[in-house]
Amino acid sequence: MRYLETISTGYGALPPRAYPATDAARLSLNGTWRFRLTPTADTPADFADPAYSDSGWDEIAVPSHWPLQRRDGSWGNPIYTNVRYPIPVDPPHVPTDNPTGDHRLAFDLPDGWPGGDAVLRFDGIDSCGRIWLNGTELGVTFGSRLPTEYAVGHLLRPTGNTLAVRVHQWSAGTYVEDQDMWWLPGIFRDVTLLTRPDGGLTDLRVHAGYDHRTGLGTLRVDTTDGATLTCPELGLTAAPTGFAIEMPVTPWTAETPHLYRVEVATATERAVLAVGFRTVAIEDGRFTVNGRPILFRGVNRHEFDPDHGRVVTEDLMRTDLLLMKQHNVNAVRTSHYPPHPRFLDLCDELGMWVIDECDLETHGFGENDWRANPTADPAWRDALVDRAQRMVARDRNHPSIIMWSLGNEAGVGDNLGHMAAAIRALDDTRPLHYEGDHSCMYVDVYSRMYADHAEVELIGRLEEPPLDDPLLDGRRRTMPFIQCEYGHAMGNGPGGLHEYQQLFEKYDRLHGGFIWEWIDHGIRSHTPDGREFHAYGGDFGEELHDGNFICDGLVFPDRTPSPGLLEYKKVIEPIRITDAGTGTFTIENRHDFTDLSGLTLRWVYEIDGVEQGSGELACPKLAAGSSEAVALPALDLADQSGEAWWTVSALLAEDTAWARAGHEIAWGQWPAANPAATFPHAVTTAPEPAVVAPHAAVAADSAVTSVAINGVGATGLALDSLAPVQTAATGLSGSSAGFAAPRSARFDERGRLVEFAGIALVAPRMDLWRAPTDNDAHTLAAQWRWAGLHRVHERTVDVTADTDALTVRTRVAAAAVDAGLLVTYRWSEAGDALRLQLDITPDGVWTVPLPRLGLRLGLPATYDQITWFGRGPGEAYADTRLAARVGRFAATVDTMQTPYVFPQENGARIDVRWATISDTAGAGLRIEADPLFQLTARRWTSEQLDAARHQTDLVPGDHVWVNVDLAQHGIGSNSCGPGVLARHALTARPATMTLLLRPC
C-alpha cells in the first residue's frame, strides 16, 4: 500500500518536544521555492536528486497554499465543505486524481554556521508530506497542523543543499481532518533549520503552579541534566533544574497576564521562557483558576487570511488578539487544531484563556452512520494518540492553555480514551474537553454545542435529562458546563446572546461559552471588471460544497468588526453600569480577578440626542464581584424640556498592552428622572418583545395622548387639530365635502401618495418581506416563500374622502394562500405635516411569523443623507439590540449598509423617534411615528437584496428605498443553533401606527 494511504504516524521524525526560542543558530527556509504541480501522486520522485534540473519549474512562496498562489485555477482551486468529505469515504484510500505539489529549495548555510547536530522542522504541511535532504529521504509526515522534526546534521553541506518535499492534497490523514474549513493543500507554516549543540536543551517542561491560599508559586523546569535557572525578578541565580522551588509570586490570569522571564541555560544553549504561575482545578463542580471560578467570554478561532488561507503572520495573530481584548473576549478555543505556536505566545503575553484542540475531526463519517469512524477503529489508535501527544509536547508550557481538547465532532470510540490517557500521562495539570461524547466518559467538563436557552437552564439547575448509565450520569452532574459553540455568527446575528449570558451568570455550574466563530473565511476575489468581493463555497466550481456556511464569523474577512461582535462586546462587558435612581448609578465589577484600578468614568447628559453636559468621575477601585453606588453630577437644567438620557462609560485611564487610553470597556444608559422634561416615548434599556400588539389611536385634536405600546406606557405625538376644508380630492369617491390634501402632497386615483414636499415618491405601501438572513434561511425562509410573503399584492377595497381625511382600505395578500392583512390608510392634515393613521388587521389563518411589518416608500436617489433620533449608531434588531444606544445620529444611505459577505437583511435602526431623509442641501422629508419605529434605507429593494449572492450583485438604482417598520422578526441563531425566542418573534395580529410626514 502506498505510504499516503497508510494509517500511520508517519516515519522518520524525532520525538515531539516543546517550542522554545533559544540562542542556538537557526535558519528560516521560508521564501521562494521551485514548484511543480502534478495531477496524481504517482509521478517519479526523481526530483529529490540534487542533480535533478528544476529549471523548467515554476516558483512558489513558502509558506503558502498552492491553489491561492495562482488564482486562475491552473494550480487547482479551494474547496469548501462543512461536514461531507470532498472525496469518497473509503478509508484509508484516496482518489487517483490527487493534486501533488513537488517543492524544491537550494540553500547554503550562512557563514559561521556551527557543525554538529541539526534538525529540520516543518510546522505545518497539508495533508501529507514526504521529505528529502540532499537526496536522502527523511520521512513522511501526517498531522497537517502539528510540527515534525527530522535529524539532518549529518546531511548538511556548507553550500549546495537541496531540500525536496512532495505534498499530497489527499491522504489517509484527510479522514481525520474534516474541520469545517477550506480544503487547501501546501506547506503552509514555517520551515526552519535549527542547530542542536552538544549538551544543549533537548526539551523543556515547565511546571509553574500557584497556591492562592499562601500566595506561593512552585517552579520546576525539567530539561537537560546540569541546566540552571536564572530569574532576577524571582531571586533565582543559576538554580538547578529538576527541583521544585517555592517562592512568593504574582499569579498569571487572562486578566492579569504577569509573566516572569526565566533563563534556562547549559554551557552550550540558552532559552528564555515566559513563565506564568497559575493552577487550574475543578472544585465542587466549578472550573477554577487560582482558586476562583471563571466565566468564559469566548470565541472559536480558525486561522485565516483572506488572501493566504491558513497562512497567518504574527502581525495578523496579534491583530486578532487585540480585537478580541478590545471587545471583552477573554477566551479562545483553537478550532479545530493547534494554532501556529506564536499565537500561544501572544495569548500568554496579552492574556487569554485557551482551549487547545487536537488536530482531529471526522464529522463526515456521520453522513454514513459513523461506519468505519477512526475514533472507534483500533487501526487508527496510534495515529490519533500521536496527534494528541504532539500537541501537548509542543504546547504544555503555555500558561494561557487551561484545557486540552481531544478534537471536534469525531463521534465516539475507544481511541478517545487512549488519547485522553496519553494526554494525562504528559500533563495532568489541565482538565480535558471533548464535546462529541455527551456521556463525558473520558473528560472533565460537560460541553455542548448550540444547546438552546431552555436546555442550558436545565443544565444549570442540574435538571437535564439523565443518561442511561446512572454512574456516568452522576459523574457528569459533578462537572462544570460550557457551551464550546453557541451563537452561530453567520451573517446578520447572532441573536439571543443576552439571554444566554443571563443564564451563564445565574447558575454556578455554567461557565460561559464560545461563539462560533471569529472570522468569515471569505477569500478575496475580483469580478472580471476588477470589483472586489469575498468568495465562498461554490464560487470555485466545486462539485460538492456548503456555500457561504464558511462565512460565519464575528469579523468580516478583512477583520472589520461586524455588528455581531459589537453586540457580543456589550453582552459580555465585565463592568455593569445601571441606573440606581435618586441621582445615582450602580457600577458592578464582573471581572473574575481584577479590580477597577486604571479606569475612569465618563458621563454625558443629552436631551433629544443633543449633549447638554459631560465630564469625568473617579471610578471606584472595586474588587472583582463587588458593586457600589456612584452619585451623578447635579445639573441645573430646570428650564430644559425634551427626552433626557444619561450615559455613563467605563474607559481605560491609561494605555495598556491591548488598547489606548480612552478605550470604552462598558457603558450604561437610562432615561433621566427630570420632572421638567417631557418624554414623548417611554423607553427602557432592556430588550422589549418584538411583538406587534394593538395600539390606541392618537386623537388628532389632542395635545399629548397616552397610548400603550407593546404593553409599555407611552405618550402619543402632539398633533394640531384639523381645519375643515371644502375642496374635493380629485379623482376620489367619497362625501360631497371631500378631503383637501395639503398643498405639499399629491395622491393618485387609488389614494396613493405620489408626491410630497415637491419630491416624487414611490407611494408608501405595506411591506412584509425582508431578504432572508442566514439564520432565516435554515427554516423560516422556505415557510415565508411558501406563504408568498416575498410577492404580496395590495388590492384596493375602497377609497373615500370626507372633510377630515382621505381613507384607503386595502387587502394585502399573496397568490395561492388565503391569509392576508386588512389595511386602512387614513390620511389627514396636521398643521404643516401630513398625518397617516395606519390600521392593520390579520385576515384568515396565519401559520407563519412575519419577516417585517411596516411601510415601504421610494425617494429619488439624491435623497441619501439620513439623520435620526433613536438607537444607533449601528444596526439592531429585536434580539440584537443591546449595543445600540439612544442618541442623535447621522449617516449616508451607503454607510447604513452592513456588507455581509452573503447579502441579506441588514442596516435597520431601531426605536427611532424621528428621522430626516434629505439631499446634500438639506431638503427632504422628516418622518415621525408612534410607536417608535424601525428605519431602513437602501439603494435597492428587499427583493433585489434577496436575489444578490455577493455584494457586487447590488447595483444602486434610481431610488432610495425606505422602510418604516412597526417591527421585524428577531434574528436568532438558527443557521446552526436555536431559532428566535418567542418574545422576539413577530406574529400577525392587529396593529396601529401613526406617522407624520413633514418637509425639511
Side-chain angles (χ1 to χ4, degrees):
M1 185 177 292
R2 297 183 300 171
Y3 65 88
L4 72 156
E5 293 182 310
T6 301
I7 300 172
S8 85
T9 61
Y11 57 82
L14 294 167
R17 66 188 184 113
Y19 190 91
T22 78
D23 62 355
R26 64 173 51 208
L27 176 65
S28 172
L29 299 181
N30 296 346
T32 301
W33 293 39
R34 305 292 284 179
F35 179 74
R36 176 185 67 183
L37 182 65
T38 58
T40 71
D42 299 320
T43 305
D46 53 352
F47 77 101
D49 187 336
Y52 180 90
S53 174
D54 58 18
S55 60
W57 286 22
D58 295 300
E59 292 185 339
I60 194 171
V62 171
S64 72
H65 301 285
W66 67 70
L68 296 180
Q69 290 286 288
R70 279 196 177 173
R71 301 301 296 279
D72 60 2
S74 61
W75 283 0
N77 283 310
I79 300 170
Y80 169 60
T81 61
N82 169 30
V83 175
R84 305 183 74 186
Y85 289 97
I87 61 173
V89 181
D90 182 26
H93 304 293
V94 295
T96 302
D97 294 330
N98 186 359
T100 295
D102 290 333
H103 301 68
R104 277 174 55 98
L105 176 70
F107 67 95
D108 299 332
L109 297 178
D111 293 341
W113 183 267
D117 291 341
V119 299
L120 179 65
R121 179 164 65 211
F122 291 86
D123 282 311
I125 298 177
D126 191 333
S127 72
C128 168
R130 188 178 182 189
I131 303 156
W132 297 263
L133 179 64
N134 292 331
T136 299
E137 183 177 1
L138 302 180
V140 167
T141 177
F142 297 96
S144 296
R145 284 149 285 278
L146 291 162
T148 311
E149 291 185 330
Y150 301 92
V152 296
H154 61 294
L155 299 173
L156 288 171
R157 305 166 181 167
T159 60
N161 294 283
T162 301
L163 177 58
V165 184
R166 170 160 284 183
V167 180
H168 306 288
Q169 176 153 19
W170 312 121
S171 70
T174 298
Y175 289 105
V176 291
E177 295 177 1
D178 182 24
Q179 290 139 322
D180 185 11
M181 58 188 179
W182 292 104
W183 297 92
L184 288 169
I187 303 173
F188 72 99
R189 286 186 183 163
D190 303 303
V191 183
T192 314
L193 184 66
L194 305 98
T195 59
R196 300 303 314 127
D198 187 35
L201 301 166
T202 55
D203 195 7
L204 289 160
R205 171 71 172 100
V206 177
H207 309 260
Y210 177 72
D211 188 334
H212 64 280
R213 292 157 300 204
T214 64
L216 298 178
T218 301
L219 175 65
R220 189 178 87 237
V221 177
D222 296 329
T223 187
T224 306
D225 290 345
T228 59
L229 305 177
T230 298
C231 179
E233 190 178 359
L234 290 173
L236 298 178
T237 304
T241 57
F243 297 94
I245 306 169
E246 193 173 73
M247 71 212 87
V249 297
T250 299
W252 187 97
T253 75
E255 296 171 5
T256 56
H258 189 90
L259 294 171
Y260 292 90
R261 303 296 167 180
V262 178
E263 178 186 292
V264 186
T266 69
T268 57
E269 188 174 16
R270 169 182 169 272
V272 177
L273 307 179
V275 174
F277 291 88
R278 55 107 188 97
T279 295
V280 183
I282 294 175
E283 302 171 324
D284 299 324
R286 306 201 71 186
F287 193 103
T288 67
V289 177
N290 300 339
R292 302 197 64 161
I294 64 173
L295 188 65
F296 296 112
R297 301 172 171 91
V299 295
N300 287 273
R301 174 186 175 268
H302 268 292
E303 294 187 314
F304 184 72
D305 176 279
D307 299 304
H308 304 106
R310 284 184 292 281
V311 180
V312 290
T313 65
E314 182 171 336
D315 285 345
L316 203 59
M317 299 178 221
R318 186 177 290 275
T319 295
D320 277 346
L321 283 169
L322 294 180
L323 277 171
M324 291 176 193
K325 296 285 287 188
Q326 290 162 9
H327 290 86
N328 296 330
V329 171
N330 71 356
V332 169
R333 176 177 174 233
T334 68
S335 53
H336 298 292
Y337 43 82
H340 191 289
R342 279 296 294 151
F343 181 77
L344 297 173
D345 292 338
L346 295 173
C347 289
D348 295 342
E349 172 194 329
L350 295 170
M352 191 68 63
W353 308 121
V354 176
I355 300 179
D356 198 3
E357 192 147 84
C358 192
D359 193 6
L360 168 64
E361 182 169 335
T362 66
H363 204 173
F365 283 86
E367 298 287 297
N368 298 281
D369 200 27
W370 295 106
R371 290 184 297 275
N373 182 28
T375 57
D377 183 347
W380 288 89
R381 172 181 169 179
D382 290 346
L384 300 190
V385 167
D386 173 70
R387 288 171 180 253
Q389 290 172 326
R390 288 158 69 190
M391 171 183 70
V392 176
R394 190 195 77 169
D395 294 345
R396 61 186 170 182
N397 294 335
H398 290 281
S400 56
I401 298 173
I402 42 77
M403 265 191 278
W404 302 114
S405 179
L406 301 179
N408 183 68
E409 292 176 323
V412 294
D414 290 346
N415 289 338
L416 296 171
H418 294 297
M419 294 172 69
I423 289 174
R424 290 188 173 106
L426 289 172
D427 174 47
D428 61 359
T429 69
R430 297 172 173 94
L432 297 190
H433 167 274
Y434 177 68
E435 186 274 341
D437 178 11
H438 293 174
S439 75
C440 301
M441 182 178 297
Y442 305 117
V443 296
D444 304 300
V445 298
Y446 180 24
S447 176
R448 288 293 309 279
M449 294 181 183
Y450 309 108
D452 63 24
H453 301 80
E455 183 179 0
V456 169
E457 180 149 27
L458 287 176
I459 293 169
R461 294 161 53 180
L462 297 170
E463 295 175 3
E464 69 269 25
L467 297 169
D468 293 337
D469 185 324
L471 292 178
L472 284 176
D473 184 69
R475 179 174 177 271
R476 194 180 72 176
R477 289 179 195 275
T478 66
M479 294 180 177
F481 174 81
I482 65 169
Q483 283 257 61
C484 69
E485 294 180 21
Y486 82 110
H488 196 255
M490 187 174 180
N492 188 336
L497 298 183
H498 172 62
E499 290 84 354
Y500 273 121
Q501 193 68 19
Q502 289 177 313
L503 293 171
F504 296 156
E505 295 176 4
K506 180 177 180 180
Y507 296 104
D508 287 349
R509 188 187 185 192
L510 307 182
H511 285 266
F514 297 77
I515 297 295
W516 185 267
E517 64 164 306
W518 176 242
I519 190 169
D520 287 342
H521 301 208
I523 294 176
R524 197 189 317 270
S525 303
H526 294 85
T527 62
D529 60 357
R531 290 176 296 146
E532 182 177 297
F533 69 98
H534 289 100
Y536 48 75
D539 285 337
F540 297 99
E542 307 100 302
E543 66 176 13
L544 183 70
H545 66 85
D546 284 302
N548 67 310
F549 207 74
I550 194 71
C551 295
D552 47 12
L554 291 170
V555 298
F556 297 135
D558 64 0
R559 284 171 166 76
T560 299
S562 75
L565 180 59
L566 302 180
E567 178 76 358
Y568 192 44
K569 175 186 178 180
K570 177 62 178 171
V571 166
I572 62 176
E573 59 187 11
I575 301 168
R576 295 282 166 75
I577 301 171
T578 53
D579 180 23
T582 63
T584 62
F585 64 91
T586 299
I587 181 167
E588 180 185 5
N589 182 1
R590 297 200 63 85
H591 286 97
D592 296 321
F593 296 93
T594 59
D595 64 23
L596 299 188
S597 299
L599 300 180
T600 188
L601 299 176
R602 176 173 175 80
W603 61 269
V604 177
Y605 183 82
E606 294 175 315
I607 296 179
D608 291 341
V610 178
E611 183 177 310
Q612 306 295 316
S614 64
E616 292 189 355
L617 298 169
C619 183
K621 294 177 173 55
L622 296 171
S626 60
S627 63
E628 184 175 312
V630 179
L632 288 164
L635 302 179
D636 183 13
L637 296 169
D639 296 331
Q640 297 289 337
S641 64
E643 187 175 344
W645 286 80
W646 288 101
T647 305
V648 177
S649 302
L651 313 175
L652 290 178
E654 300 176 349
D655 291 350
T656 69
W658 48 272
R660 295 285 190 182
H663 170 74
E664 184 180 72
I665 296 172
W667 58 273
Q669 189 181 51
W670 55 91
N674 179 2
T678 301
F679 300 98
H681 300 278
V683 181
T684 62
T685 55
E688 292 301 325
V691 176
V692 178
H695 307 305
V698 179
D701 59 352
S702 64
V704 177
T705 303
S706 177
V707 298
I709 299 174
N710 289 338
V712 179
T715 305
L717 292 162
L719 303 177
D720 295 331
S721 60
L722 292 174
V725 293
Q726 302 299 321
T727 306
T730 303
L732 302 178
S733 64
S735 64
S736 58
F739 166 65
R743 286 186 296 274
S744 58
R746 184 168 63 86
F747 295 83
D748 68 7
E749 69 282 355
R750 290 172 57 182
R752 298 176 299 190
L753 180 66
V754 294
E755 183 178 322
F756 181 75
I759 304 170
L761 301 180
V762 178
R765 68 169 180 84
M766 282 300 301
D767 193 12
L768 309 182
W769 185 242
R770 73 181 186 195
T773 68
D774 287 313
N775 289 304
D776 296 335
H778 185 65
T779 55
L780 274 178
Q783 297 176 30
W784 290 341
R785 293 184 198 280
W786 177 89
L789 300 184
H790 61 311
R791 51 177 174 78
V792 297
H793 298 279
E794 192 162 29
R795 175 174 62 86
T796 303
V797 176
D798 58 43
V799 180
T800 61
D802 58 27
T803 57
D804 294 330
L806 169 67
T807 302
V808 182
R809 295 193 302 132
T810 70
R811 187 177 189 271
V812 176
V817 296
D818 59 2
L821 296 176
L822 301 178
V823 183
T824 299
Y825 303 81
R826 187 177 188 272
W827 297 96
S828 58
E829 187 178 14
D832 65 342
L834 181 64
R835 178 181 185 270
L836 170 63
Q837 178 74 33
L838 187 69
D839 293 294
I840 305 161
T841 304
D843 185 43
V845 178
W846 281 87
T847 60
V848 298
L850 299 176
R852 74 176 345 123
L853 184 64
L855 292 176
R856 182 203 299 184
L857 67 150
L859 287 78
T862 54
Y863 292 88
D864 62 355
Q865 307 295 308
I866 314 292
T867 302
W868 73 99
F869 177 35
R871 291 192 180 270
E875 75 178 29
Y877 293 81
D879 55 351
T880 63
R881 57 179 286 148
L882 259 69
R885 63 188 84 189
V886 175
R888 188 178 298 203
F889 305 100
T892 65
V893 167
D894 296 328
T895 58
M896 288 182 74
Q897 312 310 305
T898 303
Y900 293 112
V901 172
F902 187 93
Q904 57 198 272
E905 166 59 38
N906 72 90
R909 271 56 175 183
I910 63 169
D911 290 353
V912 177
R913 285 81 164 145
W914 57 259
T916 63
I917 306 166
S918 64
D919 58 20
T920 54
L925 62 86
R926 174 182 169 112
I927 302 172
E928 303 169 22
D930 183 40
L932 307 181
F933 66 95
Q934 191 162 326
L935 174 71
T936 308
R938 53 176 68 106
R939 294 188 182 276
W940 32 80
T941 64
S942 294
E943 291 77 15
Q944 291 167 332
L945 185 61
D946 184 13
R949 293 298 173 262
H950 295 91
Q951 288 294 319
T952 49
D953 297 332
L954 295 169
V955 180
D958 296 332
H959 293 91
V960 166
W961 298 97
V962 179
N963 280 91
V964 178
D965 293 323
L966 278 154
Q968 284 196 45
H969 192 69
I971 297 298
S973 187
N974 204 29
S975 54
C976 187
V980 173
L981 289 167
R983 68 188 300 243
H984 302 307
L986 176 59
T987 57
R989 61 180 64 187
T992 294
M993 189 181 204
T994 303
L995 272 75
L996 289 182
L997 300 182
R998 302 182 190 273
C1000 69

